[in-house]
Amino acid sequence: MKNKEIAEIFDRIADALEFKGEQFFRVLAYRKAARIIEELTDDIDVLNKQDKLREIPGIGEGIAKKIDEFLKTGKMKKLAEAMQGISKDLLELLNIQNLGPKTLKLTSDELGVKNLKDLKRVIEDGSLTKLFRMGEKKVENIQKGIALFEHGKARTPIDRALEIADTVVKYLKKSRLIANATPSGSLRRMKETIGDIDILVSGKNGKKIVDYFTKMPGVMQVLASGDTKGSVILETDLEPIQVDIRIVPEKQYGAALQYFTGSKEHNVKIRSLAKEKGLKVSEYGVFRDKKTIAGKTEASVYKVLGLPWIPPEIREDRGEIEAALANKLPKLVELEDIKGDLHIHTNNSDAVNTLEEMVNAAIKLSYEYIAFADHSKAAFYANGLTEERLKREINAIAKLQISYNNIRILRGIEVDVLDSGKLDFSDEILSQLDVVVASVHQGFKKRVTERMCSAIENPNVDIIAHPTGRLISRRPGYDVNLEKVLEYAKKYHKIMEINAYPDRLDLNDIWTRKAKEMGIKIAINTDAHGIADLEWMKFGVSVARRAWLEKQDVVNTLKWKDLKNLLNIR
Ligand code: DGT
Ligand code: CA
Ligand code: CA
Ligand code: ZN
């Protein structure tokens, strides 16, 4: 479908015309066309061939001709014409609040500003302030706009977004005006990073609810406030984040929740499915002609379309609707299925708690087993264990096990994969351990794929930890050929890890799903460096769910007896 591409072109034309000072209604016509096309569920190419474009409300003769031109030639003259003399970098700056098209034009003509870097420079050196009619206050506002613009491009990690959403929901629920408040959007789908927080609220007095919402402590800026929606920028101890609320009556709650949970791609497909059945799905309900036939609960919305309820984590249009139609939805793994954690550190290397403290914390989670996997000696920055200290830890674990009969304490190591591809401990030592977790912690540019593959070939290795090494907010993964690593893991029956540390979530959802399809088993491990970190398991489980994993795909859902067999533990 070319719908999205065409919508973007019209948006770009509108931006360019606005920049050039074209009359407002002309700009608006292109913007409106872009919105309408983006929301179309039918293929625009098909509509055009059937000569039906002009029947779409809001699409006039001029726009229809331009769409036809683009579909036939792959080009639109109007776009080239509008863009003449303006770069994309410059146009993007129109998204900065408090920097209007006229001002942008002035800074471009008079000061030669071509991009964000230039704009920051002319603020820094004072030349923007000196520009005709500018003044300090106005420049200050532009600066604030830049900060929000830059933040707007950044996404917030899921753990932080969940925490903030929790505070907002608590605040909302304190009000007698509000019956219900549920996080929706990407947060409910548990994506690894969140653009903005969306909260669905039910209640009668929308205006008063929005009022109450915008007066929440920490609100830096109110972006929108109406009868049914409100949007604010919230200050947090790190970067600010946008929070949107939507207010709906109780009887539409399910339909609204379905809509605002998204993803957009999932919703588009659901709507076109509805259309095929002669129904209309919107945030207000499911309708046959004008009659409401579902909408109070989310399940009712799916049900009238002939579908079972689909878990939010897989609503990404990655085959879930087809699977639901065929009654082949996976039964996704749940946090309650997890029976242990196979990658835990202690204060013997770089963590904060003792062996015993970690064991007690694991018992509180009702785990049947845990594996200690402290760092090995090459990880000197992490106070990695020497052979001598590893032996001491093994003895300490054996001693500790005697006083616990309700949990298995496994002797393990997180062994570094060295630059040579060899492991940081000899096979003789590794073979005495219950669980060997292998990781790359250094030499990120040195033949990582080959090194990982040779680690996988080592019969003592059980699990490959955080296989790409990425840190979501700080660095991309190493240059590793994961496809090849997975092939090796498959061939040598090795377990791949989903590292549940929220800044890692490595493997991610896409690669985990690929691993599952190849028949590779997964371990969801927290890599805990302290008691509190054991709670990260839920983020790892979310990745697994987004990857369609079921209980049987995850080794640490096994009962102790079965895990023992799988890992060949004597
Ligand atoms: P984010 O905030 O970037 O992490 O991702 P989302 O999925 O939370 O997206 P957001 O906040 O823009 O919108 C929340 C939900 O509202 C989205 O998941 C689906 C629905 N939605 C938003 N815009 C559209 C749209 O243009 N068309 C359709 N069909 N649904 C939309
Ligand atoms: Ca969102
Ligand atoms: Ca939103
Ligand atoms: Zn670790």
Side-chain angles (χ1 to χ4, degrees):
M1 293 220 303
K2 292 253 160 53
N3 300 28
K4 201 168 171 189
E5 203 177 329
I6 293 175
E8 272 168 16
I9 290 174
F10 285 132
D11 256 332
R12 227 178 313 146
I13 292 175
D15 286 344
L17 294 181
E18 198 170 1
F19 177 81
K20 289 182 168 169
E22 182 69 79
Q23 278 168 305
F24 185 64
F25 73 90
R26 292 238 162 81
V27 176
L28 201 67
Y30 288 105
R31 285 251 188 268
K32 216 171 119 197
R35 288 292 77 72
I36 291 165
I37 294 161
E38 196 177 294
E39 290 289 322
L40 277 184
T41 50
D42 296 309
D43 188 334
I44 198 160
D45 203 9
V46 175
L47 289 175
N48 188 42
K49 283 189 180 125
Q50 298 168 339
D51 211 13
K52 280 189 179 156
L53 284 181
R54 289 159 190 85
E55 289 168 24
I56 304 168
I59 303 283
E61 185 58 32
I63 296 280
K65 271 196 179 142
K66 291 184 179 75
I67 295 171
D68 182 60
E69 178 197 349
F70 180 78
L71 289 171
K72 290 203 173 115
T73 67
K75 287 198 189 92
M76 204 187 287
K77 275 195 224 99
K78 182 73 193 176
L79 175 67
E81 183 194 309
M83 288 293 286
Q84 207 154 50
I86 326 174
S87 72
K88 253 175 82 187
D89 278 352
L90 195 59
L91 269 194
E92 206 200 13
L93 300 185
L94 278 180
N95 296 321
I96 296 174
Q97 276 188 47
N98 310 324
L99 178 67
K102 285 207 187 87
T103 312
L104 185 61
K105 179 108 173 71
L106 210 57
T107 53
S108 155
D109 291 350
E110 302 288 319
L111 302 171
V113 167
K114 288 196 184 63
N115 49 40
L116 185 60
K117 214 171 121 200
D118 291 347
L119 181 62
K120 283 181 166 175
R121 176 177 45 79
V122 298
I123 291 176
E124 197 80 0
D125 68 15
S127 47
L128 188 62
T129 320
K130 289 195 208 108
L131 204 66
F132 174 63
R133 276 198 305 178
M134 263 291 167
E136 304 241 341
K137 187 74 206 156
K138 210 168 162 195
V139 172
E140 223 173 81
N141 283 335
I142 293 173
Q143 249 175 325
K144 275 189 195 154
I146 292 175
L148 287 174
F149 172 74
E150 287 189 311
H151 146 257
K153 291 176 146 186
R155 298 176 61 85
T156 304
I158 178 76
D159 58 324
R160 280 178 42 69
L162 267 180
E163 221 177 280
I164 296 162
D166 210 43
T167 323
V168 178
V169 166
K170 278 203 185 102
Y171 171 82
L172 290 173
K173 284 191 170 161
K174 270 198 312 211
S175 162
R176 273 184 302 129
L177 298 164
I178 292 168
N180 229 326
T182 320
S184 51
S186 52
L187 197 67
R188 185 158 178 249
R189 303 197 313 280
M190 294 296 282
K191 266 186 84 162
E192 62 196 27
T193 61
I194 304 301
D196 65 5
I197 295 173
D198 305 285
I199 297 176
L200 185 69
V201 172
S202 67
K204 288 205 183 77
N205 196 330
K207 182 103 202 78
K208 276 195 181 156
I209 291 172
V210 172
D211 239 30
Y212 175 72
F213 169 65
T214 54
K215 292 205 174 76
M216 181 171 53
V219 169
M220 281 168 74
Q221 193 182 351
V222 178
L223 300 174
S225 77
D227 293 344
T228 57
K229 54 181 146 182
S231 180
V232 302
I233 303 276
L234 199 64
E235 192 169 23
T236 74
D237 42 343
L238 288 170
E239 279 131 37
I241 185 164
Q242 181 175 330
V243 185
D244 294 347
I245 65 166
R246 265 297 192 134
I247 301 111
V248 298
E250 202 73 48
K251 63 177 195 303
Q252 294 172 0
Y253 205 70
L257 187 59
Q258 196 286 324
Y259 179 83
F260 290 111
T261 297
S263 66
K264 194 170 151 185
E265 290 75 15
H266 174 89
N267 287 353
V268 166
K269 195 163 258 182
I270 285 289
R271 286 186 201 178
S272 70
L273 180 70
K275 215 166 163 191
E276 282 167 28
K277 294 181 184 284
L279 303 175
K280 183 173 186 303
V281 174
S282 77
E283 57 208 275
Y284 309 113
V286 186
F287 304 91
R288 174 173 283 125
D289 301 321
K290 291 251 148 58
K291 193 168 170 281
T292 311
I293 60 166
K296 188 159 194 310
T297 68
E298 214 179 34
S300 77
V301 173
Y302 285 102
K303 191 161 175 218
V304 293
L305 299 176
L307 300 172
W309 180 82
I310 300 176
E313 292 94 330
I314 60 171
R315 296 185 196 168
E316 299 288 352
D317 189 22
R318 293 180 187 155
E320 72 281 7
I321 294 170
E322 291 80 355
L325 280 169
N327 223 340
K328 284 191 176 143
L329 276 182
K331 187 178 179 322
L332 300 180
V333 62
E334 292 175 22
L335 184 59
E336 289 69 36
D337 296 329
I338 299 293
K339 296 200 172 64
D341 193 332
L342 300 175
H343 182 167
I344 290 177
H345 295 270
T346 74
N347 64 349
N348 289 334
S349 66
D350 63 340
V352 295
N353 292 106
T354 63
L355 284 168
E356 190 168 4
E357 285 163 350
M358 293 309 279
V359 171
N360 288 332
I363 288 172
K364 282 213 183 92
L365 295 171
S366 308
Y367 282 169
E368 290 184 21
Y369 45 84
I370 54 170
F372 287 103
D374 268 317
H375 292 284
S376 65
K377 60 182 184 285
F380 58 88
Y381 55 88
N383 189 25
L385 302 181
T386 58
E387 280 157 35
E388 197 42 48
R389 283 162 56 217
L390 174 60
K391 271 183 199 150
R392 253 183 274 153
E393 184 166 305
I394 292 173
N395 291 336
I397 289 173
K399 227 166 114 188
L400 201 58
Q401 182 69 80
I402 296 169
S403 34
Y404 289 91
N405 52 20
N406 50 350
I407 188 165
R408 281 294 158 162
I409 313 167
L410 304 179
R411 302 162 303 174
I413 189 82
E414 180 176 14
V415 67
D416 263 40
V417 179
L418 304 177
D419 287 358
S420 61
K422 291 214 172 76
L423 299 176
D424 196 16
F425 282 120
S426 69
D427 285 336
E428 199 214 325
I429 292 178
L430 294 178
S431 65
Q432 294 167 34
L433 297 168
D434 300 321
V435 180
V436 173
V437 179
S439 339
V440 170
H441 280 130
Q442 46 205 321
F444 294 163
K445 296 214 165 74
K446 296 179 186 152
R447 303 165 34 251
V448 176
T449 307
E450 287 80 358
R451 286 156 62 203
M452 256 188 213
C453 289
S454 61
I456 288 171
E457 282 173 336
N458 184 310
N460 292 310
V461 169
D462 301 295
I463 301 176
I464 301 295
H466 43 72
T468 79
R470 71 155 174 185
L471 293 173
I472 291 171
S473 56
R474 281 174 284 161
R475 67 165 191 239
Y478 352 105
D479 186 12
V480 58
N481 180 347
L482 267 186
E483 190 111 32
K484 182 150 181 227
V485 170
L486 292 185
E487 273 163 25
Y488 265 66
K490 168 77 186 153
K491 183 168 167 202
Y492 292 95
H493 304 287
K494 295 301 157 80
I495 299 162
M496 298 300 290
E497 178 181 82
I498 295 175
N499 192 290
Y501 172 47
D503 207 22
R504 288 194 185 269
L505 301 180
D506 178 11
L507 293 175
N508 69 9
D509 50 0
I510 305 270
W511 282 104
T512 302
R513 188 160 171 199
K514 170 118 184 138
K516 174 195 161 116
E517 279 162 6
M518 291 171 73
I520 296 167
K521 295 288 180 211
I522 300 289
I524 309 174
N525 295 330
T526 62
D527 202 350
H529 281 67
I531 287 172
D533 304 349
L534 291 170
E535 300 286 339
W536 288 338
M537 188 58 81
K538 62 171 183 263
F539 301 116
V541 171
S542 296
V543 173
R545 289 172 65 83
R546 288 180 57 80
W548 295 46
L549 262 52
E550 303 184 276
K551 190 176 171 183
Q552 67 268 21
D553 300 315
V554 180
V555 296
N556 48 321
T557 62
L558 289 173
K559 292 195 177 74
W560 160 241
K561 203 172 78 218
D562 298 325
L563 183 81
K564 188 177 165 194
N565 284 334
L566 184 85
L567 293 174
N568 277 321
I569 296 171
R570 276 144 299 168

